[in-house]
Structure formats: C-alpha cells, structure tokens
Amino acid sequence: MTPSGRLPQTALPHLYTLTLKVVPDEGQFNGREIIDIEIHQPIKAITIHALELAIERACVHQKDQTLLAKTSEDRATETITLTFLQNINPGLAQIEIVYSGKLNQQLRGLYEASHNGQKFAFTQFEATDARRMFPCFDEPGMKARFSLTVTYPAHLTALSNMPVLTERIDSDGVFKTTRFDTTPVMSTYLLALALAPLQSRSIQVGATTVTVWTLPEQLALSEFALKATAQVLPRLNDYFDMPYPYPKLDLVAAPNFAMGAMENWGAIFFRDSCLLLSETLSSTATQRDVANVITHEIVHQWFGNLVTMKWWDDLWLNESFATWLAVKIVDQWRPEWNSWVEFQQEKEVPLNMDALKHTRPIQSEVTSAAQIEELFDALTYEKGAACLRMIESFLGEDLFRKGIQRYMKKFAYQNASAEDLWEELTAASSQPVGEIARAWFTQPGYPLLTLRMNPNQENAFTIEQRRFSTLSESNPDQRWVIPFTYKYQDANGIHTDRILLKDAVTSFNLQAVSFLYGNADEGGFFRTDYDATLRKNLEQGLPNILSPSERIGYLDHLWALSLSSRCSIALFLDTVCRFKGDTTRVVVVELVQYLETLLDQMVASEQRALFSAFVADLMMPAWKAFGWDAASGDDDEIRLARAAALWGLGSLAENEDILAELPRRKTRYDAIPTSLDPTLATPLIRLCARFDGGSLFDPFAQKYQTAGTPEERDRYLTALADFNKPALAIKLLEMALSPAIRSQDVWKPVRSLLGYPKVQEVTWHFIQTHWEALRAKAGSVGATRMIQSTKVLWRPEWKEEVEQFFSTPENKVEAAERALAQTVERIEIGIRFKAQQGNRLREWLMAREKKTD
C-alpha cells in the first residue's frame, strides 16, 4: 500500500469474471474469479483488497505460463499480497483466485438478511466492502467490467446490475445457476447481487424498463415507486441531455439494509421504508421522503456511476450533487411540496455540524476504510448540496446546467475530480467558479455575516464576515468568496440584489430602506446577524415580510446565536412570539422542535406549567385554524402543519381537549384506518403512548410485528419509546437485541429513549452494559448513530462517561472517531447552554406570566 492508503498502480484491472455459489441457509459462499489485468512494469508481487475471505489458491496466467502465488494478508490495510518466485512481465495477464467466505452479519459485503425465518443474501459494497465478497482492486478509480455467474437455492430469485443471459436449474432441482450479462466499465462498489424470493412489477419509461422487486407480501406497495420513477427519469434524461445509460433500472426492496438506499448501477437497493408505501394509508411526509430517496439514487446513475470520483476525498461529487439535483427534480414534478423550503430545514443539520471545532472540509483527505466511512455525513450530503445551489444561483440555472452537461459527456465511463468539474463550469459560464468553490469545499466551517448600518454615513451599510463557531474561538483570518444575495424594501417595493464578498468587511449603499434581510430565500450557506436597528426593522415586519425559507432561517440563526452565547435566549423567545398564529408548515414544525428541546433539556420542573401555558398560547391559534379533521381544500402543507401542531399541543402543552379526544380517535382509527388523515396517524399513536400508563405497550409491540407497511412498522417502533417509563424503556431495549427488531433499526429506539429525561439514565446504563451486543447487531453504521445519539446527555458526569467509554479499545468504533469527538463537543455545548441560558429562560417565563396576569 502507498502512504495515501491506495493500491500501487503497477497492475490495473479490466475485467472480473466471477463465479459464486451462495447458500444462505448455511451462511456461506465460495468463489472462483479471474481478473484480467494490465501490468505496467516488471513485478514480483500484486497487492489487492480482500477481507474475511479464506484464500485457497492463487496464481497468475500470462501467455502459456502459470505462476503460483504465495498469499499473505494484512488486516490493517484489508489487503492480500500475491508474491511470486519470478517477475511477471509488463503486458496482459490474468489473476485466478479460489476462495470462500461467510455471509456477513452486519449488513456489509455479501450479507445475510432474514425474514419470517427464511435466510437470503444481499450486497452492500459502498464504500469499501466489495473486498468482503471477492478479492479486488477496491478503489473507485480502478474501474473494470464484471461478468457474474452465481449458483444459489432454486426457490430464490437472483438479481444483479445487468440482465440475465442464461438461467438453468440443476437436475435435482435444488440449485439454480444464473449468468448475467457483462457490465460496462464501473467501480467495484457499484456491483450488486440479491438472492431472495422476490416478485416484481414493471413499467416502460421511454426506452428503459423500470422494475420494482419486493418480497411477495410487499408487492402491492410498489405502485408509488413506479409512478415516481416514471416522472423523474425523463426529467433526468433531459437535464443531463443524455439518456439513462443502462439496459434496465431495478428498484429492489431489501428486508434488512443499513443505509437508506444504494445506487448500484442498474439495480438500486433500498431499505423497504424508503421505497414502499400504501398510497391510501401513507402520510404525505412519507411520500415526499420516498420520492426524494428514489430520485437521489437515480441521479447517481449518471453522477457517480457513469462519471465517478477518482478517490474518496471527492465523495461529495457523488452525494452533494445527487442531494441537490434530487430536490430540483422533485420540485419540478411536485412544486406544491415546496421541496426547496424543506431543503432549508435540512440545511440546519450541516450548519450545526460545521460550527463545531471537530468539523472538516467537504473535500477531505482519507487513507483508511474507517476514514472513508466517516465521510458519509451531513457535510458531504447537505452542505455540499447547499454550496452547489449557491454556485448555481450565482451562475444562473442555464449556464450551470450547461457546465454539468459538458462535464458528464467529457468524463463518461471515466473518473474525474472536483477540479475537472470547476473547469467545465468555468468554461460554460466564464465565471471564476474554482475561486468561489475552493473556499467552500476545501476549508472547514462557514462565515457569520454581520450586517450593520454605518452610523457616520447615511444609507451606508457594512457586511463583516468571520468564521462562526458554536463553542470555540474562530479563526479571524479565515475568508470565503461569498455569493451574497440580500433582500430589502424601499419606497418602490421589495427587491433582491447580490454582491460577491471577498474581504473581511464590505461596504455598500441602499437608499431609504425599511428593512434589510441578509440571505434572500436562505440561498447561502452561512449565518447572519444584525445590529440593533436592522434587527428592530426586521422584527417589526415579522413574519409577513419574509418567505417561508427566510422565516425558519431567521429563527434558526437566532437559535444558533443563543446556543453560542452571542445573544440571550430571551431574544429568541421574543421572536418566537411574533410567529404566533403562523400556519406555515415549516414554521410550525420548527417551533415545535425548538420548544421540545427547551422543555426536555432546559425547563425546570417548577417552570413546566409556565412553559406549557406559553406553548398553548403560541400554538392554539394555528390549531384552531386546522382542527382535527381535514377540510376538502386542504393541501399537503396544511396536513403536515396540522400534524406538527397536534404533537406540539399534545406533548408539550398537554392540552386537555386534545388529550381527551385521543381514545376516541384511536378506537376509530384501529377499526377504520381510513377514518383518519394518514398524516395524523403518527402523532396520534405517539400521544396515546405518551399519556398511557403502560397498558398499550404490548398491543403496540404486536402492531409493530404485524404492520402492513414499513411506515406503520416505523410508527409503532417510535411510539414504543414514547411510553417514557424506565421499566418499559428496558423492555424496548431488550427487544432491540432480540430478533423482534431488525438489525437495521437497532439504533432507532436507542436514539428515541435517550431524548427523554425520565429514561435517559436507564438507557445510558443499558448501552454501557450491553454495548458489545448492540454494536455487533447494529454494525458500524448503527453503532455510530447510537454514539451520536448520546449528544443529548447534558450533564458534566455523562460527558466524561461518554468520552471515556467509547474511547476504550474494547468499545471503540473505528469509523466513529470524528463522530465521537463531535458528540462530546455537542454535550459540552448543551451543558454550557443550560448553565448560561437557564436562568434567562426562567426569568423570561416569569416575566411573561406577569404580563398575562
């Protein structure tokens, strides 16, 4: 291995011919592979990736000569080295390896998936787990073609990237052998194999056959996925000016899957909840989520699969772009969903992460498999997407798209880097794209822009940029090139304009403005702050002068400023009051989320009644506008806002009328599921759990087991954590370690329970005493999510325990090193927030009570 963690370039693959036999009931597989390679200099050894495989024989064929290899393994680098007694000459050669392995139990490589006692096999290779199924050059830049033949139990169906060429059943009827067509040139992490009793539905979308594959009992839930694909695939063909580049498009629901989905070329694998739903019984939130995930993965068929990053430091080229373009395409299809407003909500996740000391640049150097796995975070996905949107806004949609099309056509079936993308965008737009982009993609963090009126000059304003950090002191010398779009109102109405900011302080002039908003439509990836006069002008017009994205952006920035002690929580709460009666969906959702955090983490028991009264006063006008029952003209936005208001008034304000109505609504819903707006089903069931003494726990656990849709299953799993009682928390955690809860979902009840003060202590104790079992079942992805879930343990002693416990060698998760550092930092932020703002919150509540008396 080279110091960069990459394989030597002395031998490169061109074709893998793979022959596998997989027996899921035995948990084993064996294989024989021939790798056609080209050798560039005389060598006596070839190093390739392999992990958890037993190598039985290895050799190299060159011309009429066969050289046997001595095989040595390096577990640290996840490689094997084939060493020969004499040199292999430059030119073409073939590596032949015979090997065997066991099906992985942690949802990676070729892994075991089970359902109702039956065992199947699926693959998940991204980022570095193809090496768990076959020895290979497991790097994105070492593209090759793949010819796969697999033998497996005859009652199962086999799927892979390409169509089936031949299929035969053995004479005894026990095994079936399927040979797939050879793939185009692609990276190892995109190869796919599924062996399960799958059934399908297909449609034709232009020249492409689109098929959804599911377990038999789920096939009826596939219709929405087909409809969504029929809408987004033609739009993507048009966007790229290049038709879908593969002979088929399979969407496959896996019964157990670590990620939301995986973009295997021509055979996309999904967690079932990200693909399947009942159009009659699903909430509009689930429909949006499924549409976004499907679109994201189909975008990858071009951006990531057809053109692939050279190395994992440019992973964002795949994920940022797919995240951004999926929003754009879904918004074209269903503009009433307001996807860009939802994108603004999701942008808070990377904004919070990137304000930590332990953040990183989007484009980050990595040298190991664990470091590569760490890259799959909100910075790679959402921050990168937000920065792409910012650049597109600066260049204009047409020029940006023209640059993307140039890039795709130039590098099709090849690998490319960030610099290649910037060059094509620059050529298409004649703008300094590289100069702008490098500041955002190659350095950590983002700026806080402070807008001020110049006291010495009329109609003059300044913008100061400085890196924003929640806890630590920021670097005063760090700079960004910022496409800054602002919004203002003068005598002629409301306008937007833009400036390209490069300096620490920039001055500009505006004539007689009544307000100035420093991030029009929240299109930029930064925080904003204002001097007292500008803030007063803004607050006087709230909320009507701001768009939905700007409303939640303004609230989000104030929350971040109070979390970092740059302003008092009282200012945030005063602003919250200005949104009383606002029925905008994202505003209602944001208000409930922030108020829930304050109630769970900050409000002392003696202030709970005051806080509940405040929530009731704030939310009741919106609830009166909504009511329990949908009106004939209600759109999806109103339905989602109604659901958020119901949860807020029920769980936070404990409104007596709402709580009294729960039993009747639940009884009717149990009898006639269509009697309730599907979007209200989750808050209804969760509230029933929250205010139940425990009698509903076992019935809800049974409903979880027998749920007819993935959404219903997830609803009851969430509700099982809402009983908020220590004994039932332990019972749920024990369920998580049993076969009752699938390994893909182990982390979910852990995260939910840690968020509730009444059961935090028993949950944290359970994690510590059962960590080995939890980590083994959940795998590294689930284990990382459980570590991140401890961020809500806002006590100094718990902070020390979290840091020490997950740092010890026996408890450490290698791929969670940065996640642990970030989690500990978040706990420290919470402790400080509680200490510095707790009294201010109490004083604000008491002052409000006096005003209302």
Side-chain angles (χ1 to χ4, degrees):
M1 295 288 284
T2 65
S4 66
R6 301 168 73 169
L7 295 174
Q9 300 289 304
T10 51
L12 296 176
H14 294 294
L15 171 67
Y16 293 83
T17 303
L18 287 167
T19 304
L20 294 174
K21 183 175 183 179
V22 184
V23 187
D25 284 342
E26 297 177 5
Q28 298 182 41
F29 63 95
N30 54 61
R32 174 179 176 268
E33 71 172 340
I34 295 175
I35 312 174
D36 287 43
I37 61 172
E38 183 174 359
I39 297 170
H40 296 287
Q41 65 187 58
I43 53 174
K44 274 193 172 181
I46 299 174
T47 298
I48 60 176
H49 292 104
L51 185 62
E52 298 174 352
L53 299 175
I55 307 300
E56 298 171 16
R57 182 169 61 88
C59 61
V60 162
H61 306 290
Q62 190 173 53
K63 297 182 179 177
D64 4 356
Q65 190 177 28
T66 296
L67 301 177
L68 294 178
K70 178 184 177 181
T71 305
S72 59
E73 180 183 16
D74 185 345
R75 286 297 298 261
T77 60
E78 302 181 357
T79 60
I80 57 172
T81 297
L82 311 181
T83 305
F84 306 92
L85 293 177
Q86 64 186 70
N87 275 337
I88 306 173
N89 296 320
L92 301 179
Q94 291 183 320
I95 302 173
E96 181 181 0
I97 302 177
V98 178
Y99 63 96
S100 62
K102 295 181 179 180
L103 294 181
N104 186 273
Q105 300 297 309
Q106 296 185 324
L107 308 180
R108 58 200 310 165
L110 180 61
Y111 69 87
E112 178 186 298
S114 60
H115 180 72
N116 290 340
Q118 299 181 71
K119 293 183 178 180
F120 321 127
F122 285 80
T123 55
Q124 170 57 36
F125 289 163
E126 191 178 32
T128 60
D129 289 318
R131 64 194 68 174
R132 295 176 187 267
M133 189 180 88
F134 62 105
C136 55
F137 297 82
D138 199 9
E139 295 182 2
M142 293 185 167
K143 288 191 171 186
R145 294 178 298 136
F146 297 83
S147 177
L148 175 63
T149 301
V150 60
T151 299
Y152 54 96
H155 68 283
L156 303 179
T157 297
L159 298 175
S160 189
N161 307 77
M162 295 295 286
V164 172
L165 280 184
T166 63
E167 198 162 76
R168 61 178 174 81
I169 297 177
D170 293 354
S171 58
D172 57 9
V174 176
F175 287 100
K176 187 190 302 181
T177 298
T178 299
R179 181 181 167 218
F180 297 96
D181 202 353
T182 302
T183 71
V185 172
M186 68 182 194
S187 302
T188 49
Y189 76 88
L190 294 171
L191 186 64
L193 176 63
L195 301 172
L198 300 169
Q199 295 184 2
S200 66
R201 278 185 179 174
S202 298
I203 60 171
Q204 198 70 21
V205 181
T208 305
T209 301
V210 177
T211 305
V212 174
W213 295 87
T214 78
L215 296 177
E217 62 268 32
Q218 293 183 310
L219 189 59
L221 305 177
S222 63
E223 193 64 31
F224 180 81
L226 291 170
K227 288 180 180 178
T229 305
Q231 291 294 326
V232 303
L233 184 57
R235 288 176 166 85
L236 288 169
N237 288 334
D238 178 65
Y239 187 86
F240 289 113
D241 191 29
M242 182 184 295
Y244 173 73
Y246 230 65
K248 67 179 179 70
L249 178 56
D250 290 343
L251 312 179
V252 185
N256 208 0
F257 202 69
M259 315 301 289
M262 174 61 211
E263 65 267 20
N264 312 306
W265 212 355
I268 305 170
F269 289 1
F270 294 81
R271 180 181 290 226
D272 62 357
S273 60
C274 293
L275 181 67
L276 307 176
L277 57 82
S278 163
E279 291 189 82
T280 302
L281 299 176
S282 64
S283 66
T284 181
T286 293
Q287 292 182 21
R288 294 175 186 207
D289 289 344
V290 168
N292 278 321
V293 174
I294 289 172
T295 309
H296 179 108
E297 302 307 323
I298 297 177
V299 171
H300 275 312
Q301 306 302 295
W302 287 268
F303 224 104
N305 298 4
L306 182 63
V307 181
T308 312
M309 71 265 167
K310 291 180 179 179
W311 180 239
W312 294 106
D313 57 350
D314 274 332
L315 172 65
W316 71 269
L317 276 173
N318 291 11
E319 301 301 347
S320 300
F321 195 90
T323 302
W324 167 80
L325 187 54
V327 177
K328 193 178 190 70
I329 295 297
V330 171
D331 187 58
Q332 291 175 4
W333 171 35
R334 298 293 296 269
E336 72 275 14
W337 282 356
N338 295 313
S339 295
W340 285 118
V341 180
E342 199 153 297
F343 179 82
Q344 168 57 29
Q345 275 186 295
E346 295 168 355
K347 198 170 75 176
E348 272 306 292
V349 177
L351 280 168
N352 290 331
M353 180 181 289
D354 213 21
L356 299 175
K357 177 173 58 178
H358 295 96
T359 187
R360 63 170 180 85
I362 298 173
Q363 188 175 359
S364 294
E365 182 179 339
V366 287
T367 59
S368 70
Q371 290 174 351
I372 292 167
E373 188 174 329
E374 283 191 297
L375 292 178
F376 289 82
D377 62 10
L379 301 177
T380 291
Y381 286 75
E382 285 86 2
K383 179 184 177 181
C387 292
L388 286 174
R389 187 188 183 206
M390 192 164 55
I391 293 170
E392 185 210 29
S393 178
F394 175 70
L395 299 182
E397 288 187 69
D398 291 342
L399 290 177
F400 188 85
R401 179 181 176 187
K402 181 180 176 182
I404 294 301
Q405 291 174 350
R406 288 172 56 106
Y407 171 83
M408 296 302 300
K409 290 171 182 175
K410 183 174 181 178
F411 295 101
Y413 299 102
Q414 301 176 62
N415 297 88
S417 67
E419 289 303 317
D420 295 321
L421 178 60
W422 307 147
E423 286 178 12
E424 296 308 315
L425 288 171
T426 297
S429 65
S430 301
Q431 295 291 336
V433 177
E435 180 187 2
I436 298 171
R438 289 184 198 101
W440 294 95
F441 287 87
T442 63
Q443 65 176 340
Y446 59 85
L448 168 67
L449 300 185
T450 304
L451 283 71
R452 298 184 177 91
M453 296 183 68
N454 188 334
N456 301 317
Q457 186 177 348
E458 189 177 2
N459 300 323
F461 302 83
T462 62
I463 309 169
E464 178 188 11
Q465 65 160 296
R466 185 186 181 99
R467 179 173 172 178
F468 179 79
S469 180
T470 304
L471 189 63
S472 59
E473 286 298 316
S474 58
N475 178 4
D477 298 323
Q478 198 169 347
R479 297 284 179 272
W480 287 263
V481 180
I482 307 168
F484 176 70
T485 304
Y486 57 96
K487 175 178 174 179
Y488 66 95
Q489 184 175 39
D490 60 18
N492 296 316
I494 295 177
H495 317 275
T496 60
D497 207 344
R498 63 184 60 188
I499 310 171
L500 192 63
L501 307 178
K502 297 183 179 181
D503 300 323
V505 179
T506 302
S507 299
F508 67 107
N509 295 305
L510 290 172
Q511 297 296 319
V513 298
S514 57
F515 78 83
L516 172 65
Y517 189 76
N519 193 359
D521 218 30
E522 287 296 316
F525 192 83
F526 45 78
R527 298 281 188 203
T528 52
D529 195 9
Y530 304 87
D531 67 20
T533 301
L534 290 177
R535 187 174 295 284
K536 181 180 178 182
N537 293 343
L538 272 172
E539 300 247 342
Q540 286 176 343
L542 289 177
N544 297 330
I545 61 173
L546 300 183
S547 70
S549 290
E550 292 163 350
R551 294 178 197 187
I552 60 172
Y554 189 74
L555 285 169
D556 291 337
H557 298 323
L558 268 180
W559 175 264
L561 292 170
S562 65
L563 199 63
S564 64
S565 300
R566 288 176 171 85
C567 77
S568 169
I569 191 68
L571 175 59
F572 173 78
L573 292 170
D574 286 341
T575 303
V576 162
C577 291
R578 294 183 179 275
F579 289 87
K580 177 179 177 179
D582 193 328
T583 58
T584 308
R585 184 256 306 183
V586 287
V587 173
V588 177
V589 170
E590 290 267 315
L591 291 177
V592 171
Q593 288 175 347
Y594 284 130
L595 295 173
E596 193 165 17
T597 297
L598 290 175
L599 180 62
D600 287 342
Q601 298 283 26
M602 299 278 285
V603 176
S605 57
E606 59 271 21
Q607 266 83 52
R608 287 186 68 89
L610 293 180
F611 191 82
S612 293
F614 161 57
V615 175
D617 180 65
L618 181 71
M619 304 296 297
M620 188 54 71
W623 177 250
K624 287 181 177 178
F626 300 138
W628 273 95
D629 300 306
S632 58
D634 285 358
D635 59 17
D636 288 347
E637 292 291 284
I638 292 176
R639 294 174 189 273
L640 288 167
R642 176 184 291 112
L646 173 61
W647 176 252
L649 278 171
S651 66
L652 307 184
E654 299 185 14
N655 178 268
E656 292 181 359
D657 292 338
I658 285 177
L659 300 187
E661 182 72 3
L662 294 178
R664 187 180 76 84
R665 295 279 176 171
K666 178 187 173 297
T667 299
R668 192 174 180 209
Y669 174 70
D670 287 342
I672 311 171
T674 54
S675 66
L676 185 74
D677 177 355
T679 306
L680 291 184
T682 293
L684 171 67
I685 296 303
R686 291 188 64 194
L687 286 170
C688 288
R690 175 67 63 92
F691 296 100
D692 175 71
S695 62
L696 289 174
F697 186 90
D698 288 338
F700 277 16
Q702 181 62 26
K703 284 183 176 292
Y704 166 74
Q705 295 294 335
T706 59
T709 68
E711 181 179 8
E712 183 184 16
R713 184 189 66 225
D714 288 349
R715 174 181 301 135
Y716 282 101
L717 182 58
T718 301
L720 287 171
D722 283 309
F723 286 90
N724 212 6
K725 298 184 184 304
L728 294 180
I730 296 298
K731 190 173 182 178
L732 177 56
L733 290 165
E734 289 171 347
M735 274 181 62
L737 287 176
S738 77
I741 293 179
R742 294 180 295 179
S743 54
Q744 68 173 29
D745 294 326
V746 168
W747 60 275
K748 291 182 178 180
V750 171
R751 180 184 64 179
S752 296
L753 291 168
L754 282 170
Y756 296 139
K758 290 181 180 179
V759 296
Q760 276 183 330
E761 189 163 357
V762 296
T763 304
W764 173 228
H765 179 72
F766 188 95
I767 292 170
Q768 294 174 86
T769 54
H770 296 79
W771 180 242
E772 184 178 355
L774 286 166
R775 180 177 57 182
K777 183 173 181 180
S780 64
V781 173
T784 298
R785 288 172 177 167
M786 286 187 281
I787 291 171
Q788 291 170 322
S789 298
T790 63
K791 67 183 181 182
V792 296
L793 298 179
W794 289 7
R795 291 187 193 171
E797 64 272 23
W798 282 347
K799 171 180 170 288
E800 298 303 321
E801 289 176 12
V802 167
E803 186 168 20
Q804 292 173 11
F805 181 80
F806 291 119
S807 296
T808 58
E810 62 270 24
N811 298 325
K812 188 174 183 179
V813 176
E814 285 190 21
E817 185 175 341
R818 182 181 294 110
L820 175 58
Q822 291 174 341
T823 299
V824 172
E825 188 177 350
R826 289 180 191 274
I827 297 173
E828 187 176 351
I829 290 168
I831 293 169
R832 188 187 71 171
F833 184 55
K834 199 170 182 177
Q836 294 185 350
Q837 303 280 18
N839 284 336
R840 294 170 182 168
L841 173 60
R842 180 180 58 83
E843 291 167 359
W844 187 90
L845 288 170
M846 293 175 66
R848 180 189 172 279
E849 182 189 29
K850 290 179 180 178
K851 288 180 183 178
T852 55
D853 284 346

